[in-house]
Amino acid sequence: MPVKVITTELGHSIPPEQPHNITFHIPGWETAKALRRGDPNLLSKLSSIYPRFGPWCEVRQLSTALHKALSLPETYGLIIFVHPDSFTTAQRYSSDGKWRKPEHLVPPSDLWFRVVEIPISSEDKVRLYITAFPQKHAPGVVGTWQNYGCGISSRLAAACLAHLDSLAILPFTATGADDVSLPNIPEPTYLPLTEAHTGLKSRIVELAQRSPLDKEKANLLSPENVFLYPTGMAAVWRLHNALITLRPEGEIVVLGSVFHNSYHLFEESPNGMKHFGSCDAKSNLFDELEKYLEGEKQKGGRPAYCFAEFPSNPILVSVDLVRLRKLADKYDFPIIIDDTIGSFANIDVLPVADVIVTSITKSLSGYANCMGGSLLLPPSTPLSPSLSPLLTTTFRNEYFHPDASLLLSNSQSYLARSATLNSNALSLATYLNSEAQDPSSPVKAVFYPPFLDTKPNYDAVMRAPTPEFPNPGYGCLLAVDFESLDLAKTFYDNLSVYQGPHLGAHLTLAFPFNDAIWGVEPEAAEYLKTFGANPEQVRVSVGLESEEELIDTFKYAMEKAKGEKKRLTSQN
């Protein structure tokens, strides 16, 4: 069949285009790299963006209005939160000389804090905590928005804009040189908890209890064991803070490839992280890990916790969770599993994880139009008696109820969509894997759980088939390695799918994840190559299109890459 032409303009969201969408189409390999560099020309063309990348659309409109209302200098920017601890977070982040470049450090007197109050309905008002900073130092501040994921959502911004005529500026001013801990700033309102939050928590428990590997543990779950946050990174951030409060003495052990914002969060934690990159079956992961743990034990120490994505993003390696659980029990450390890629429908990590963190923005939502993150803390874990009271007493709702309501609605089709995502991804990966076996093909390897040597580790936590979901699978994400960067670019630039970051959406998205995201950090990029996260790799989040359309689309791009390989070979 003819390859479908993408008609969406650069910078616009994938269809259907509407307010609050969280994707954007930026075709071309070099365009992706320009995004990571923050190219002003490209940014000026974006009508939509992934919200954690920075304030955009309605959030930018609200920022502009507040900038004027607060009479800030033209040289200043601002970011907006509903949690007042954003002030102390900004103080720490903007003055951290170990991790910030000198030119990005913000002099304390130039970091300003303000508080405003705006109605968001006829019944509720919200207090917003505003961090203002010189634009020339922006990279030294906006990381608190990007890495921690607690900035306000576009729907909350829209609600505030609708009531801007009732804006109240509180009589509070402070700088980075002041004590802005909670007792010294205006009392927060946070956001109201509603039936949407309760319903979404119940939905997550329902999915966690479906076809469980350990019925006894699953039956103990209740909505009170679920904590909701505005993004997946916010869930990671809030959990991280709770865990280092309980266990402040150790490093964070991180296994395999993880999302880059998570990586930076962990490495910048007070005691740092110990990263084990290679986690495939050929690695000596568990010998090295146990040697490290034994060494820490001999020194009287232990890890704060161990974090792993299952499987990992973007190389889809599945660490041996059963073996990891045995080490955790022996050396006394909690296991935190991010199951976003495998997803509730396919895998059950409850028997081995102390906490499960999920970006419910991805396939649970599935339509790329709202954000959310969740923590599931099983009462069966030994960590629960200490962590549950801490999370419960420190939890403050930052998740706007219209976002929660839409995500709950989207989740009703989750199992049906997951069945299609599994089937499409397996078919596409099977085709691409056949290319990897062909010497004339530019494909070097395919990263998808059934084609990797860690498949038994994934299968060990796969849910059993049920009538409503008869074919558990391996999820929507895969990656393709090419023989060279030139061949990868040729393939990608001829691939007629939507191009940009995000995964789990209804339409297929491709992105040169490693080269675009890590390419601006040469040392990190070299390190990632040591465990398979190569710059010549294209990450693909498979959507709900027909299998025939997907295969034909990828075959067309593959033929272009084969032609380029033949041309380059003939020149040598």
Side-chain angles (χ1 to χ4, degrees), residues 316-437:
L316 286 303
V317 171
S318 305
V319 70
D320 187 341
L321 295 181
V322 175
R323 194 169 176 185
L324 182 62
R325 180 72 261 170
K326 292 177 181 177
L327 284 182
D329 292 340
K330 180 178 179 180
Y331 290 100
D332 183 28
F333 61 87
I335 298 173
I336 314 305
I337 299 298
D338 183 335
D339 70 344
T340 301
I341 307 300
S343 197
F344 296 124
N346 297 312
I347 60 172
D348 179 12
V349 297
L350 184 65
V352 291
D354 290 288
V355 187
I356 302 168
V357 59
T358 310
S359 176
I360 53 178
T361 303
K362 307 304 192 298
S363 56
L364 184 64
S365 173
Y367 294 104
N369 57 7
C370 59
M371 304 279 282
S374 69
L375 298 179
L376 178 59
L377 175 59
S380 56
T381 173
L383 189 63
S384 181
S386 57
L387 183 58
S388 182
L390 180 59
L391 284 176
T392 301
T393 56
T394 59
F395 178 83
R396 301 293 183 269
N397 184 43
E398 304 166 77
Y399 192 28
F400 193 39
H401 59 275
D403 292 307
S405 179
L406 180 58
L407 208 150
L408 174 60
S409 176
N410 287 352
S411 76
Q412 301 311 307
S413 63
Y414 167 65
L415 289 179
R417 285 186 285 103
S418 294
T420 303
L421 294 177
N422 285 343
S423 176
N424 279 353
L426 180 59
S427 295
L428 181 58
T430 300
Y431 157 66
L432 292 169
N433 192 57
S434 71
E435 288 288 343
Q437 313 308 313

Side-chain angles (χ1 to χ4, degrees), residues 82-116:
V82 298
H83 202 302
D85 71 358
S86 57
F87 286 175
T88 53
T89 300
Q91 279 182 319
R92 174 192 56 78
Y93 191 93
S94 64
S95 62
D96 190 341
K98 180 179 180 181
W99 297 106
R100 309 286 87 77
K101 293 180 179 179
E103 63 269 26
H104 296 158
L105 294 173
V106 184
S109 61
D110 290 346
L111 190 67
W112 298 348
F113 302 116
R114 303 289 187 269
V115 183
V116 302

Side-chain angles (χ1 to χ4, degrees), residues 519-555:
V520 296
E521 303 175 43
E523 288 187 15
E526 284 300 313
Y527 174 59
L528 264 69
K529 287 165 63 175
T530 65
F531 53 88
N534 300 311
E536 305 88 0
Q537 195 174 95
V538 175
R539 191 185 77 170
V540 181
S541 171
V542 179
L544 302 177
E545 300 93 339
S546 74
E547 180 182 318
E548 181 184 13
E549 178 184 330
L550 280 170
I551 299 297
D552 286 348
T553 298
F554 276 74
K555 280 185 175 179

Side-chain angles (χ1 to χ4, degrees), residues 81-82 115-121 124-129 152 156 159-160 167-168 170 188-192 400:
F81 302 85
V82 298
V115 183
V116 302
E117 185 174 273
I118 308 179
I120 52 174
S121 70
D124 297 306
K125 296 180 179 180
V126 62
R127 285 187 174 173
L128 301 177
Y129 293 80
I152 66 167
L156 176 55
C160 292
L167 170 71
L170 275 62
T189 58
Y190 302 107
L191 293 173
F400 193 39

Side-chain angles (χ1 to χ4, degrees), residues 9 27 103 165 169 185 224 259 381 388 412 459 509 535 557 571:
E9 293 180 48
E103 63 269 26
D165 56 349
I169 300 174
I185 59 179
E224 287 69 37
F259 188 54
T381 173
S388 182
Q412 301 311 307
D459 292 346
L509 281 158
Q571 291 179 347

Side-chain angles (χ1 to χ4, degrees), residues 289-304:
L289 178 56
E290 185 154 22
K291 181 180 179 181
Y292 163 78
L293 294 168
E294 188 62 36
E296 292 298 295
K297 182 180 179 181
Q298 294 302 318
K299 294 185 292 186
R302 60 180 184 174

Side-chain angles (χ1 to χ4, degrees), residues 431-432 435-436 441-443 480 482 490-491 494-495 552-564:
Y431 157 66
L432 292 169
E435 288 288 343
S441 172
V443 175
V480 192
F482 288 85
T490 300
F491 172 84
N494 286 280
L495 183 61
D552 286 348
T553 298
F554 276 74
K555 280 185 175 179
Y556 176 84
M558 190 64 66
E559 289 305 312
K560 294 292 185 180
K562 285 180 177 179
E564 178 65 6

